[in-house]
Amino acid sequence: MHGVRLVALIALLGASFALRAEPDIQVGFSPEGSARQLALDTIGKAEHSIQVLAYSFQSPRITQALVDARKRGVEVRVVVDEKRNRGKASKAAMDFATRNGVELRTSSGFHLQHDKTIIVDGDAIATGSFNFVVSAETVNSENLIVVRGMPEVSRRYLAHWQSRWDLGKPYAARQE
């Protein structure tokens, strides 16, 4: 009887591991709200690391989620387009993030650094047209796709992120 249970348990565990090995893809859209929620959920599940590439970086909710992750002990590093983030709202978000332990760099090496990507724990890749600004969350037509369980895709996104990080300049928060 115990042998039958053991065989059943092994089969169940094998099926569980097989299910996790399959890629998982989720999508969200704005202004319906599912893109923002998917981004927040993805950030909220981070255990070890978050790498972000952002064209526009202003969203208080996204910024707070990144800071909350940092406070949980997650390493959070962000690269933003320098030209697009010169305004008051962007500077406020960048200052808040860096004052709370998020490492942030600005990139001016391209006409636009138009990437919109969140990489969580080297596995979950969130990307699409979704900018990290309130208008993308509430009035623009935007999309976000999150891909998990595709190691080659993750490796390529991490290499792309690293190349932008290496080109970026450290951002120092303005004094309060």
Side-chain angles (χ1 to χ4, degrees), residues 106-127:
T106 59
S107 173
S108 60
F110 303 93
H111 176 70
L112 296 175
Q113 180 192 284
H114 210 239
D115 295 288
K116 299 121 182 157
T117 303
I118 303 168
I119 305 166
V120 172
D121 295 336
D123 176 58
I125 308 299
T127 194

Side-chain angles (χ1 to χ4, degrees), residues 88-107:
K88 184 178 177 180
S90 293
K91 291 290 187 186
M94 293 162 61
D95 291 344
F96 177 73
T98 55
R99 284 191 197 114
N100 285 282
V102 172
E103 294 180 66
L104 194 141
R105 293 186 179 185
T106 59
S107 173

